[in-house]
């Protein structure tokens, strides 16, 4: 997708302007908005040309604004997929309620979680006038939706974390492995830890994490002593145990061990190494955002380990509002649908006819949402401002705050 750039003669004025959108969410106690922008002047909507009558909508809608946005979710995906769809739809509804005077209408479409369903959902939303697509959630559905949206020149803000589906015009709002690796390795290096090893799953996530790990360790001037890849088959942890044992002889040569997988992987690795008589006293265990579960953060054997994640206050406030509205606490990823909806509503209010243009969505100064600052890159991936947390064995404590903008070093 390509969109015309502003005329060169107006760029000086455009650089001085500020693009800001506000979620008027007093109960949440925060402001969601854009950072200073290179975009054009704020529009009040009074000079917009008249628009033709909108097509008839088939299916569920959220909001009654004049600008239509598709919300593509795996409503009939079954099991956890349908549960995610319900959560994301609720979070989007909450965002519309919080953003007073929102001028968007969400067209809720079912992707079924498949490539074919994603394409059909995107085509349905676009035929009904959607100018932007939020979702899908799963990578195959994103691929299907992107194939349809690319031909129509409609951008996508997707919720998948699979960077293979990111592309110009297909932007990922999720938390990406490379961002976690960049933050935690960078922080470890700042604490004078320069010799690294890693224990990574032998899957697509592990491959992405390894590439990012190698790049970031090189960037900070560190060295990689060893990398082991393990396979997990169901509850069979024999290969994980074997690969952890193979790392044990390297421990005297390292001062940081990267084990990004969530669940019980990291505690199991620590237990295995301790049982082998390994000395972990001088080795700092490093993780990823997948560690943000009670199973990991409340494990005494994980005390002292570091992992990256967004600031917690915004999500905690959102979770309180969500529970009050829907009777149960939301999963951690509910913030994606909330922030995506707020982003769309804010850009409609603030960016005028350029609301979903490429230069708007890839504004280098980024946006401020529930989870802190973020920005989309031209290749469809993103950067986020993350904090670093230390596990205490009964929770976590922040040891390095998230940056408030992209001028601040992380």
């Amino acid at each position: 997708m390509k969109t015309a750039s502003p005329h060169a003669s107006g760029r000086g004025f455009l650089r001085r302007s500020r693009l800001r959108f506000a979620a008027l969410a007093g109960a949440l106690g925060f402001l969601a908005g854009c950072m200073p922008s290179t975009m054009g002047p704020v529009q009040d909507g009074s000079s917009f040309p008249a628009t033709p009558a909108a097509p008839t909508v088939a299916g569920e809608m959220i909001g009654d604004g004049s600008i239509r946005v598709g919300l593509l979710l795996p409503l009939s995906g079954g099991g956890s997929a349908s549960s995610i769809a319900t959560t994301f739809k609720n979070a989007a509804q909450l965002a519309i309620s919080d953003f007073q005077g929102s001028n968007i209408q969400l067209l809720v479409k079912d992707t079924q979680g498949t490539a074919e369903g994603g394409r059909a959902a995107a085509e349905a939303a676009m035929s009904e006038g959607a100018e932007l697509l939020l979702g899908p959630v799963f990578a195959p559905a994103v691929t299907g939706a992107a194939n349809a949206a690319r031909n129509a020149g409609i951008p996508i803000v997707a919720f998948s974390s699979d960077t293979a589906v990111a592309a110009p015009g297909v932007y990922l709002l999720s938390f990406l492995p490379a961002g976690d690796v960049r933050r935690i390795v960078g922080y470890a290096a700042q604490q004078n830890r320069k010799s690294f090893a890693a224990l990574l799953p032998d899957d697509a996530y592990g491959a992405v994490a390894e590439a990012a790990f190698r790049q970031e360790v090189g960037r900070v001037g560190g060295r990689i002593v060893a990398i082991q890849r393990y396979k997990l088959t169901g509850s069979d942890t024999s290969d994980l145990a074997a690969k952890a044992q193979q790392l044990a002889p390297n421990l005297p040569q390292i001062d940081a061990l990267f084990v990004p997988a969530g669940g019980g992987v990291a505690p199991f690795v620590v237990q295995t190494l301790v049982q082998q008589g390994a000395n972990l006293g001088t080795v700092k265990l490093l993780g990823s955002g997948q560690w943000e579960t009670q199973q990991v953060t409340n494990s005494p054997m994980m005390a002292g380990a570091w992992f990256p994640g967004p600031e917690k206050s915004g999500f905690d406030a959102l979770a309180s509002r969500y529970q009050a509205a829907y009777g149960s606490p939301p999963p951690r990823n509910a913030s994606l649908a909330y922030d995506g909806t707020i982003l769309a509503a804010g850009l409609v209010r603030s960016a005028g006819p350029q609301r979903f243009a490429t230069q708007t969505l890839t504004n280098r100064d980024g946006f401020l949402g529930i989870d802190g600052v973020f920005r989309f890159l031209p290749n469809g991936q993103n950067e986020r401002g993350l904090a670093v947390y230390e596990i205490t064995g009964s929770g976590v404590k922040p040891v390095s705050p998230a940056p408030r903008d992209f001028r601040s070093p992380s």
Side-chain angles (χ1 to χ4, degrees), residues 53-57 66-70 105 107 109 122-133 154 355-356:
T56 301
V57 174
S66 64
I67 305 301
R68 291 179 173 177
V69 173
Q105 182 179 64
L107 312 181
K109 302 299 179 185
E123 289 175 342
M126 292 186 299
S127 72
E128 295 168 5
E131 300 181 19
L132 172 73
L133 302 178
I154 299 297
R355 49 188 168 257
F356 304 136

PDB file of all heavy atoms in Angstrom, residues 53-57 66-70 105 107 109 122-133 154 355-356:
ATOM      1  N   ALA A  53     -23.541   8.064   0.950  1.00  0.00           N
ATOM      2  CA  ALA A  53     -24.206   7.187   1.914  1.00  0.00           C
ATOM      3  C   ALA A  53     -23.411   5.901   2.077  1.00  0.00           C
ATOM      4  O   ALA A  53     -22.936   5.312   1.102  1.00  0.00           O
ATOM      5  CB  ALA A  53     -25.626   6.884   1.447  1.00  0.00           C
ATOM      6  N   ALA A  54     -23.259   5.463   3.325  1.00  0.00           N
ATOM      7  CA  ALA A  54     -22.461   4.274   3.605  1.00  0.00           C
ATOM      8  C   ALA A  54     -23.230   3.014   3.213  1.00  0.00           C
ATOM      9  O   ALA A  54     -24.470   2.971   3.302  1.00  0.00           O
ATOM     10  CB  ALA A  54     -22.118   4.233   5.087  1.00  0.00           C
ATOM     11  N   PRO A  55     -22.504   1.957   2.800  1.00  0.00           N
ATOM     12  CA  PRO A  55     -23.170   0.696   2.474  1.00  0.00           C
ATOM     13  C   PRO A  55     -23.854   0.097   3.696  1.00  0.00           C
ATOM     14  O   PRO A  55     -23.479   0.382   4.840  1.00  0.00           O
ATOM     15  CB  PRO A  55     -22.011  -0.203   2.008  1.00  0.00           C
ATOM     16  CG  PRO A  55     -20.881   0.719   1.707  1.00  0.00           C
ATOM     17  CD  PRO A  55     -21.050   1.900   2.589  1.00  0.00           C
ATOM     18  N   THR A  56     -24.826  -0.722   3.455  1.00  0.00           N
ATOM     19  CA  THR A  56     -25.519  -1.413   4.543  1.00  0.00           C
ATOM     20  C   THR A  56     -24.584  -2.422   5.191  1.00  0.00           C
ATOM     21  O   THR A  56     -23.819  -3.109   4.508  1.00  0.00           O
ATOM     22  CB  THR A  56     -26.762  -2.138   4.008  1.00  0.00           C
ATOM     23  OG1 THR A  56     -27.614  -1.177   3.403  1.00  0.00           O
ATOM     24  CG2 THR A  56     -27.495  -2.868   5.120  1.00  0.00           C
ATOM     25  N   VAL A  57     -24.646  -2.514   6.527  1.00  0.00           N
ATOM     26  CA  VAL A  57     -23.783  -3.429   7.276  1.00  0.00           C
ATOM     27  C   VAL A  57     -24.564  -4.683   7.638  1.00  0.00           C
ATOM     28  O   VAL A  57     -25.695  -4.608   8.130  1.00  0.00           O
ATOM     29  CB  VAL A  57     -23.254  -2.755   8.559  1.00  0.00           C
ATOM     30  CG1 VAL A  57     -22.473  -3.749   9.405  1.00  0.00           C
ATOM     31  CG2 VAL A  57     -22.371  -1.564   8.202  1.00  0.00           C
ATOM     32  N   SER A  66     -19.140   7.722  11.983  1.00  0.00           N
ATOM     33  CA  SER A  66     -19.267   7.743  10.530  1.00  0.00           C
ATOM     34  C   SER A  66     -18.100   7.069   9.814  1.00  0.00           C
ATOM     35  O   SER A  66     -18.197   6.771   8.621  1.00  0.00           O
ATOM     36  CB  SER A  66     -19.387   9.188  10.038  1.00  0.00           C
ATOM     37  OG  SER A  66     -18.191   9.912  10.325  1.00  0.00           O
ATOM     38  N   ILE A  67     -16.985   6.827  10.522  1.00  0.00           N
ATOM     39  CA  ILE A  67     -15.812   6.189   9.916  1.00  0.00           C
ATOM     40  C   ILE A  67     -15.796   4.722  10.335  1.00  0.00           C
ATOM     41  O   ILE A  67     -15.775   4.407  11.527  1.00  0.00           O
ATOM     42  CB  ILE A  67     -14.502   6.873  10.350  1.00  0.00           C
ATOM     43  CG1 ILE A  67     -14.555   8.361  10.047  1.00  0.00           C
ATOM     44  CG2 ILE A  67     -13.308   6.207   9.668  1.00  0.00           C
ATOM     45  CD1 ILE A  67     -14.772   8.686   8.579  1.00  0.00           C
ATOM     46  N   ARG A  68     -15.823   3.864   9.361  1.00  0.00           N
ATOM     47  CA  ARG A  68     -15.937   2.433   9.642  1.00  0.00           C
ATOM     48  C   ARG A  68     -14.568   1.746   9.674  1.00  0.00           C
ATOM     49  O   ARG A  68     -13.704   2.000   8.843  1.00  0.00           O
ATOM     50  CB  ARG A  68     -16.841   1.766   8.609  1.00  0.00           C
ATOM     51  CG  ARG A  68     -18.296   2.203   8.773  1.00  0.00           C
ATOM     52  CD  ARG A  68     -19.212   1.574   7.760  1.00  0.00           C
ATOM     53  NE  ARG A  68     -20.610   1.891   8.057  1.00  0.00           N
ATOM     54  CZ  ARG A  68     -21.635   1.531   7.309  1.00  0.00           C
ATOM     55  NH1 ARG A  68     -21.417   0.831   6.181  1.00  0.00           N
ATOM     56  NH2 ARG A  68     -22.857   1.846   7.659  1.00  0.00           N
ATOM     57  N   VAL A  69     -14.432   0.850  10.657  1.00  0.00           N
ATOM     58  CA  VAL A  69     -13.199   0.096  10.878  1.00  0.00           C
ATOM     59  C   VAL A  69     -13.586  -1.364  11.091  1.00  0.00           C
ATOM     60  O   VAL A  69     -14.473  -1.661  11.893  1.00  0.00           O
ATOM     61  CB  VAL A  69     -12.438   0.629  12.116  1.00  0.00           C
ATOM     62  CG1 VAL A  69     -11.244  -0.268  12.454  1.00  0.00           C
ATOM     63  CG2 VAL A  69     -11.988   2.067  11.888  1.00  0.00           C
ATOM     64  N   GLY A  70     -12.951  -2.267  10.371  1.00  0.00           N
ATOM     65  CA  GLY A  70     -13.222  -3.684  10.565  1.00  0.00           C
ATOM     66  C   GLY A  70     -12.547  -4.217  11.815  1.00  0.00           C
ATOM     67  O   GLY A  70     -11.408  -3.844  12.114  1.00  0.00           O
ATOM     68  N   GLN A 105     -17.057   3.399  13.841  1.00  0.00           N
ATOM     69  CA  GLN A 105     -17.976   2.288  13.995  1.00  0.00           C
ATOM     70  C   GLN A 105     -17.214   1.016  13.645  1.00  0.00           C
ATOM     71  O   GLN A 105     -16.656   0.895  12.551  1.00  0.00           O
ATOM     72  CB  GLN A 105     -19.188   2.447  13.061  1.00  0.00           C
ATOM     73  CG  GLN A 105     -20.229   1.352  13.202  1.00  0.00           C
ATOM     74  CD  GLN A 105     -21.407   1.589  12.264  1.00  0.00           C
ATOM     75  OE1 GLN A 105     -21.246   1.574  11.050  1.00  0.00           O
ATOM     76  NE2 GLN A 105     -22.580   1.843  12.834  1.00  0.00           N
ATOM     77  N   LEU A 107     -16.953  -2.780  12.638  1.00  0.00           N
ATOM     78  CA  LEU A 107     -17.709  -3.831  11.961  1.00  0.00           C
ATOM     79  C   LEU A 107     -17.082  -5.159  12.373  1.00  0.00           C
ATOM     80  O   LEU A 107     -15.962  -5.481  11.959  1.00  0.00           O
ATOM     81  CB  LEU A 107     -17.636  -3.649  10.447  1.00  0.00           C
ATOM     82  CG  LEU A 107     -17.903  -2.242   9.902  1.00  0.00           C
ATOM     83  CD1 LEU A 107     -17.817  -2.235   8.385  1.00  0.00           C
ATOM     84  CD2 LEU A 107     -19.253  -1.728  10.370  1.00  0.00           C
ATOM     85  N   LYS A 109     -16.315  -8.896  12.345  1.00  0.00           N
ATOM     86  CA  LYS A 109     -16.380  -9.960  11.344  1.00  0.00           C
ATOM     87  C   LYS A 109     -15.629 -11.193  11.848  1.00  0.00           C
ATOM     88  O   LYS A 109     -14.594 -11.091  12.491  1.00  0.00           O
ATOM     89  CB  LYS A 109     -15.762  -9.495  10.020  1.00  0.00           C
ATOM     90  CG  LYS A 109     -16.416  -8.242   9.423  1.00  0.00           C
ATOM     91  CD  LYS A 109     -17.886  -8.460   9.104  1.00  0.00           C
ATOM     92  CE  LYS A 109     -18.529  -7.211   8.530  1.00  0.00           C
ATOM     93  NZ  LYS A 109     -19.991  -7.380   8.329  1.00  0.00           N
ATOM     94  N   ALA A 122     -12.152  -9.865   5.833  1.00  0.00           N
ATOM     95  CA  ALA A 122     -11.621  -8.593   5.344  1.00  0.00           C
ATOM     96  C   ALA A 122     -12.440  -8.071   4.174  1.00  0.00           C
ATOM     97  O   ALA A 122     -12.777  -6.876   4.110  1.00  0.00           O
ATOM     98  CB  ALA A 122     -10.158  -8.771   4.929  1.00  0.00           C
ATOM     99  N   GLU A 123     -12.781  -8.944   3.246  1.00  0.00           N
ATOM    100  CA  GLU A 123     -13.572  -8.523   2.090  1.00  0.00           C
ATOM    101  C   GLU A 123     -14.938  -8.011   2.514  1.00  0.00           C
ATOM    102  O   GLU A 123     -15.435  -7.001   1.984  1.00  0.00           O
ATOM    103  CB  GLU A 123     -13.708  -9.687   1.111  1.00  0.00           C
ATOM    104  CG  GLU A 123     -12.405 -10.025   0.391  1.00  0.00           C
ATOM    105  CD  GLU A 123     -12.514 -11.257  -0.482  1.00  0.00           C
ATOM    106  OE1 GLU A 123     -13.467 -12.051  -0.284  1.00  0.00           O
ATOM    107  OE2 GLU A 123     -11.643 -11.441  -1.360  1.00  0.00           O
ATOM    108  N   ALA A 124     -15.553  -8.684   3.487  1.00  0.00           N
ATOM    109  CA  ALA A 124     -16.866  -8.244   3.967  1.00  0.00           C
ATOM    110  C   ALA A 124     -16.777  -6.866   4.608  1.00  0.00           C
ATOM    111  O   ALA A 124     -17.606  -5.983   4.344  1.00  0.00           O
ATOM    112  CB  ALA A 124     -17.435  -9.265   4.951  1.00  0.00           C
ATOM    113  N   ALA A 125     -15.766  -6.673   5.458  1.00  0.00           N
ATOM    114  CA  ALA A 125     -15.620  -5.377   6.133  1.00  0.00           C
ATOM    115  C   ALA A 125     -15.350  -4.272   5.131  1.00  0.00           C
ATOM    116  O   ALA A 125     -15.940  -3.178   5.217  1.00  0.00           O
ATOM    117  CB  ALA A 125     -14.502  -5.453   7.170  1.00  0.00           C
ATOM    118  N   MET A 126     -14.491  -4.528   4.161  1.00  0.00           N
ATOM    119  CA  MET A 126     -14.151  -3.497   3.185  1.00  0.00           C
ATOM    120  C   MET A 126     -15.332  -3.187   2.266  1.00  0.00           C
ATOM    121  O   MET A 126     -15.544  -2.029   1.889  1.00  0.00           O
ATOM    122  CB  MET A 126     -12.928  -3.925   2.384  1.00  0.00           C
ATOM    123  CG  MET A 126     -11.649  -3.965   3.225  1.00  0.00           C
ATOM    124  SD  MET A 126     -10.141  -4.305   2.253  1.00  0.00           S
ATOM    125  CE  MET A 126     -10.524  -5.923   1.579  1.00  0.00           C
ATOM    126  N   SER A 127     -16.119  -4.193   1.935  1.00  0.00           N
ATOM    127  CA  SER A 127     -17.289  -3.952   1.089  1.00  0.00           C
ATOM    128  C   SER A 127     -18.324  -3.092   1.793  1.00  0.00           C
ATOM    129  O   SER A 127     -19.161  -2.456   1.153  1.00  0.00           O
ATOM    130  CB  SER A 127     -17.919  -5.283   0.664  1.00  0.00           C
ATOM    131  OG  SER A 127     -18.575  -5.917   1.754  1.00  0.00           O
ATOM    132  N   GLU A 128     -18.254  -3.069   3.124  1.00  0.00           N
ATOM    133  CA  GLU A 128     -19.180  -2.255   3.920  1.00  0.00           C
ATOM    134  C   GLU A 128     -18.553  -0.928   4.326  1.00  0.00           C
ATOM    135  O   GLU A 128     -19.089  -0.215   5.174  1.00  0.00           O
ATOM    136  CB  GLU A 128     -19.632  -3.045   5.142  1.00  0.00           C
ATOM    137  CG  GLU A 128     -20.463  -4.273   4.761  1.00  0.00           C
ATOM    138  CD  GLU A 128     -20.697  -5.231   5.911  1.00  0.00           C
ATOM    139  OE1 GLU A 128     -20.287  -4.903   7.063  1.00  0.00           O
ATOM    140  OE2 GLU A 128     -21.284  -6.307   5.689  1.00  0.00           O
ATOM    141  N   GLY A 129     -17.401  -0.599   3.745  1.00  0.00           N
ATOM    142  CA  GLY A 129     -16.832   0.732   3.928  1.00  0.00           C
ATOM    143  C   GLY A 129     -15.716   0.858   4.935  1.00  0.00           C
ATOM    144  O   GLY A 129     -15.318   1.978   5.280  1.00  0.00           O
ATOM    145  N   ALA A 130     -15.149  -0.260   5.406  1.00  0.00           N
ATOM    146  CA  ALA A 130     -14.057  -0.177   6.379  1.00  0.00           C
ATOM    147  C   ALA A 130     -12.818   0.455   5.744  1.00  0.00           C
ATOM    148  O   ALA A 130     -12.381   0.043   4.673  1.00  0.00           O
ATOM    149  CB  ALA A 130     -13.721  -1.555   6.923  1.00  0.00           C
ATOM    150  N   GLU A 131     -12.249   1.448   6.425  1.00  0.00           N
ATOM    151  CA  GLU A 131     -11.034   2.123   5.955  1.00  0.00           C
ATOM    152  C   GLU A 131      -9.773   1.576   6.614  1.00  0.00           C
ATOM    153  O   GLU A 131      -8.663   1.892   6.200  1.00  0.00           O
ATOM    154  CB  GLU A 131     -11.125   3.619   6.240  1.00  0.00           C
ATOM    155  CG  GLU A 131     -12.291   4.316   5.567  1.00  0.00           C
ATOM    156  CD  GLU A 131     -12.311   5.809   5.870  1.00  0.00           C
ATOM    157  OE1 GLU A 131     -11.252   6.353   6.278  1.00  0.00           O
ATOM    158  OE2 GLU A 131     -13.373   6.423   5.727  1.00  0.00           O
ATOM    159  N   LEU A 132      -9.953   0.796   7.672  1.00  0.00           N
ATOM    160  CA  LEU A 132      -8.849   0.203   8.421  1.00  0.00           C
ATOM    161  C   LEU A 132      -9.361  -1.124   8.966  1.00  0.00           C
ATOM    162  O   LEU A 132     -10.543  -1.247   9.306  1.00  0.00           O
ATOM    163  CB  LEU A 132      -8.436   1.124   9.579  1.00  0.00           C
ATOM    164  CG  LEU A 132      -7.416   0.581  10.583  1.00  0.00           C
ATOM    165  CD1 LEU A 132      -6.014   0.543   9.953  1.00  0.00           C
ATOM    166  CD2 LEU A 132      -7.390   1.423  11.869  1.00  0.00           C
ATOM    167  N   LEU A 133      -8.465  -2.108   9.081  1.00  0.00           N
ATOM    168  CA  LEU A 133      -8.826  -3.399   9.663  1.00  0.00           C
ATOM    169  C   LEU A 133      -8.021  -3.617  10.937  1.00  0.00           C
ATOM    170  O   LEU A 133      -6.797  -3.513  10.921  1.00  0.00           O
ATOM    171  CB  LEU A 133      -8.545  -4.535   8.672  1.00  0.00           C
ATOM    172  CG  LEU A 133      -9.255  -4.449   7.323  1.00  0.00           C
ATOM    173  CD1 LEU A 133      -8.837  -5.611   6.435  1.00  0.00           C
ATOM    174  CD2 LEU A 133     -10.770  -4.408   7.487  1.00  0.00           C
ATOM    175  N   ILE A 154      -6.067  -1.034   1.786  1.00  0.00           N
ATOM    176  CA  ILE A 154      -6.559  -0.803   3.150  1.00  0.00           C
ATOM    177  C   ILE A 154      -5.528  -1.341   4.143  1.00  0.00           C
ATOM    178  O   ILE A 154      -5.132  -2.507   4.056  1.00  0.00           O
ATOM    179  CB  ILE A 154      -7.914  -1.518   3.368  1.00  0.00           C
ATOM    180  CG1 ILE A 154      -8.966  -0.981   2.402  1.00  0.00           C
ATOM    181  CG2 ILE A 154      -8.371  -1.366   4.814  1.00  0.00           C
ATOM    182  CD1 ILE A 154      -9.290   0.486   2.583  1.00  0.00           C
ATOM    183  N   ARG A 355      -5.889  10.075   8.099  1.00  0.00           N
ATOM    184  CA  ARG A 355      -6.003   9.325   9.353  1.00  0.00           C
ATOM    185  C   ARG A 355      -5.332   7.953   9.314  1.00  0.00           C
ATOM    186  O   ARG A 355      -4.721   7.531  10.294  1.00  0.00           O
ATOM    187  CB  ARG A 355      -7.470   9.181   9.744  1.00  0.00           C
ATOM    188  CG  ARG A 355      -8.387   8.699   8.633  1.00  0.00           C
ATOM    189  CD  ARG A 355      -9.861   8.771   9.061  1.00  0.00           C
ATOM    190  NE  ARG A 355     -10.763   8.590   7.937  1.00  0.00           N
ATOM    191  CZ  ARG A 355     -11.428   9.573   7.334  1.00  0.00           C
ATOM    192  NH1 ARG A 355     -11.294  10.820   7.766  1.00  0.00           N
ATOM    193  NH2 ARG A 355     -12.239   9.324   6.315  1.00  0.00           N
ATOM    194  N   PHE A 356      -5.446   7.216   8.223  1.00  0.00           N
ATOM    195  CA  PHE A 356      -4.861   5.881   8.164  1.00  0.00           C
ATOM    196  C   PHE A 356      -3.800   5.781   7.064  1.00  0.00           C
ATOM    197  O   PHE A 356      -3.496   4.684   6.582  1.00  0.00           O
ATOM    198  CB  PHE A 356      -5.959   4.827   7.945  1.00  0.00           C
ATOM    199  CG  PHE A 356      -7.053   4.882   8.991  1.00  0.00           C
ATOM    200  CD1 PHE A 356      -8.390   4.800   8.619  1.00  0.00           C
ATOM    201  CD2 PHE A 356      -6.745   5.026  10.331  1.00  0.00           C
ATOM    202  CE1 PHE A 356      -9.396   4.852   9.568  1.00  0.00           C
ATOM    203  CE2 PHE A 356      -7.749   5.088  11.292  1.00  0.00           C
ATOM    204  CZ  PHE A 356      -9.082   5.006  10.914  1.00  0.00           C
TER     205      PHE A 356
END
